Each structure stands twice: as C-alpha cells, then as structure tokens.
Amino acid sequence: MNVLFTKNFSVTAAQLHALKGTRYAVWASHTDPGHGMLAAADHTFLEPRGLLGDDYAAWLLDACVRHGIGLVVPGKERERLAGWQGRFAEAGVTLITPTTEAVQRHLERKDEFLRGWDTDILPIPRWATFDSLASFDEAAATLRQPGVRLCVKPARGIYASGFRVLMDTPDLKSFLGGELYQMSHAAARELFAAGELPTMLLMHTLEGAERSVDCVAWQGELLRAVVRRKGGEGQQIEDRPDLVEAARRISAHYGLSGIFNFQTKDGPDREGRNRTPNMLEINARASGGLRYSLAAGVNFPLLLLDAATGVLDRAALPPVQTGLRVAEDKVARIVREQEAAV
C-alpha cells in the first residue's frame, strides 16, 4: 500500500527510514525539493507553495488520487484536514489526523490546555498568562516565591522558541558558557515593554529531571509509549509505568490517533525533593526526539499504519526496551546531484 507523509519537519525522515522493508511503499511530499524528507522516501513529489486551508486539502486529495495513495499522514494543515476525513474516505484514502480540529487547536494553545488539564492525571506547575509589561509585572508578583525561578514562553510555539528562564540578575558565567535559555528579569521587562505581545505564559521553573514521552495511539487506545529522560550524553530510556499510565489516559481523554508526545519535568514532592513529574505540554504530533525512542524497539509509524489498516496484532506488540542510553548518530544523504555550472 502507498503511504504518503506530507510536508513536515526534517525529523520526519526517521519515520520514513523506519518503514523501509515493510509492506508499505513510502511516499513524501514537500515544497522544498532539497528537503531531507524527500531524501528518505522511496517516491516523492512536490507540493505547491502558498496553499493553505481548504485549498490545500483539496489539492492533497486530488494528488492522492492521481498517485494511488491509500494512506496519508499529514504534517502541514493537520488541524484543518481533520474535517476532510470523510471526503478522503469517499475517494478510498485513509487520512490519519490526531483528533478533531477543535481538540488539536485546544492542545496547541498552551494556556487553554493548562486551564482545562485534569490534574488527577499529572500535576502542573503554577502559571499565569500575560500580554503586556503591566500584566507581566502582575503575574510575576503573584507567582514569585523564595527559591523558585520563573520562566516564560509563548502560549503557541514549537520546540523551545521563546522559552527563557528568568534570572534575578545577569549571569556572566552562564553567558560565557553559551547558555541560550536564560535572561535577566530586567532584560525581560525591557523586551516586553518594547512592543505588542502575543499571549505568553509565566510559570514556576521546575528543577528536576525533564522527560519526553513518545506515544502511538489509535482511536483513543494507547498502543505503545516510550519514556525518555533528557540530560547528559544522549538520553535514557526509562521504565516508568506511571507515565505510561498517564499516556493511556491522555490517549483516551483526547481520542488521539497517531504519534504524539508529551513533556514532563519533576517538581517537589511532599518532602521537597524534585521527584514528582509535572505536565508541561502535549503535542499532537511526533516529537523531534522520536528517533531516540525508535531505538527502544518500537516502530512507531509501522504500529500506526498497521492499526489504521486493521492488520495490527495487539497480542504481538513489541516490548519497550528500557534501561538504554541512546545517542544520536547524524548521517548526511544525497538529495539530488548538483547541476554542472555552465
């Protein structure tokens, strides 16, 4: 069966490589002819630039019919495409979107997500929103607590864009050491006074271990979850039944299908030790670090596609290999030959 992965981040290439030698013929599309996704796929075609919303969805449906695509795992316009599943199905194409458009938008808006989060699953750090210098000062006054640092990040964003831990005073040692994610409280105030702000989050900075949990689910059923502890050289694949149970509840609560990820960080327990995982955010997409979790013996994209096509043998799901230290080995691949100069 032909499966298409549409325009997405370059880390999607790891999923395409994981499908080599399976029953699926891997296709990829992108607007950039030199993108790494295209180098990783067996078959490729280009997407037109500038198409958005329903116009993009209509183009994608037509492209799938023309190329004989049976399954689509979308990256671009993933939210809007959720409303097109019926039309794709009528054309004989299974379109895999994480959940409804409304739920996807809810998860993308981190302030809405935190406001509606069920803390019976995992606690969350104290937080507030701001969109001006005045509301930043008010939020900081509310959240300030001895021995607790504050951090800021946009309510909408990917990876660590806009994230900073706030320091009471400038820290020369951190600056000289190349620390990118710190800034002084005074510098933050100056920045936030300079112009109109999007909705931002101000939160307590948790000082414990940071984890990323990669999950694959189908129609609200968790198939597998891999817990990665960050820090040091590489990442540690951990055995954490508590976080796997949280993944199961998240899958069911939001009715998720596909590969998704959530981030936690340890905060103080009742004894004041940083051992209690707190929820930070859920991303209804594959994480940038999924390649680490693939090394734990779980072929995330294969499980997803097998579930979508009804051939998944749940009794034979592979175990997660834990206790591993996983490091990254980057490889350069030829996308296309350089044209000779005239």
Side-chain angles (χ1 to χ4, degrees), residues 5 10-20 22 212-216 224-228 235 237 259 286-304 318-322 324 326-327:
F5 288 74
S10 59
V11 293
T12 307
Q15 296 184 57
L16 307 188
H17 286 296
L19 292 171
K20 298 287 187 180
T22 67
S212 188
V213 185
D214 291 314
C215 311
V216 57
R224 277 293 180 264
V226 174
V227 180
R228 296 184 279 114
Q235 298 192 14
I237 307 299
I259 301 171
S287 71
L290 182 69
R291 57 195 181 278
Y292 294 106
S293 291
L294 287 165
V298 178
N299 191 325
F300 286 81
L302 182 59
L303 293 184
L304 172 60
V320 178
Q321 300 173 29
T322 59
L324 306 176
V326 182

Side-chain angles (χ1 to χ4, degrees), residues 24-147:
Y24 302 100
V26 179
W27 291 64
S29 60
H30 205 281
T31 54
D32 179 2
H35 197 271
M37 278 184 63
L38 304 185
D42 298 322
H43 312 278
T44 65
F45 58 88
L46 292 177
E47 298 186 12
R49 296 181 183 273
L51 280 185
L52 297 172
D54 289 336
D55 291 337
Y56 177 80
W59 169 85
L60 179 59
L61 177 55
D62 178 70
C64 288
V65 172
R66 285 188 287 108
H67 291 287
I69 303 297
L71 284 165
V72 184
V73 183
K76 180 179 177 179
E77 293 293 332
R78 188 178 57 243
E79 295 173 1
R80 187 67 194 97
L81 283 167
W84 279 70
Q85 284 185 315
R87 276 171 277 193
F88 274 74
E90 290 173 359
V93 182
T94 299
L95 177 64
I96 302 175
T97 58
T99 182
T100 66
E101 182 174 4
V103 171
Q104 289 185 72
R105 293 190 184 281
H106 172 76
L107 295 175
E108 287 290 329
R109 294 173 170 86
K110 295 178 177 62
D111 55 333
E112 291 184 16
F113 161 68
L114 289 171
R115 199 170 290 118
W117 173 246
D118 181 359
T119 54
D120 286 340
I121 301 176
L122 289 173
I124 56 176
R126 289 186 62 196
W127 66 285
T129 60
F130 65 94
D131 57 10
S132 66
L133 177 60
S135 56
F136 168 73
D137 287 340
E138 181 180 353
T142 300
L143 294 179
R144 190 172 284 116
Q145 183 177 321

Side-chain angles (χ1 to χ4, degrees), residues 210 229-236 325:
E210 181 181 359
R229 177 173 173 160
K230 302 180 180 181
E233 292 295 326
Q235 298 192 14
Q236 181 77 29
R325 172 68 68 177

Side-chain angles (χ1 to χ4, degrees), residues 251-326:
S251 301
H253 181 75
Y254 295 108
L256 294 170
S257 290
I259 301 171
F260 71 94
N261 168 271
F262 65 95
Q263 306 281 328
T264 70
K265 199 164 188 188
D266 286 355
D269 58 15
R270 293 181 179 178
E271 299 175 353
R273 300 181 182 180
N274 289 313
R275 299 184 298 190
T276 300
N278 281 237
M279 171 62 73
L280 298 181
E281 63 184 27
I282 298 173
N283 300 300
R285 54 171 171 78
S287 71
L290 182 69
R291 57 195 181 278
Y292 294 106
S293 291
L294 287 165
V298 178
N299 191 325
F300 286 81
L302 182 59
L303 293 184
L304 172 60
L305 299 182
D306 282 354
T309 54
V311 301
L312 181 66
D313 183 357
R314 285 165 172 77
L317 288 175
V320 178
Q321 300 173 29
T322 59
L324 306 176
R325 172 68 68 177
V326 182

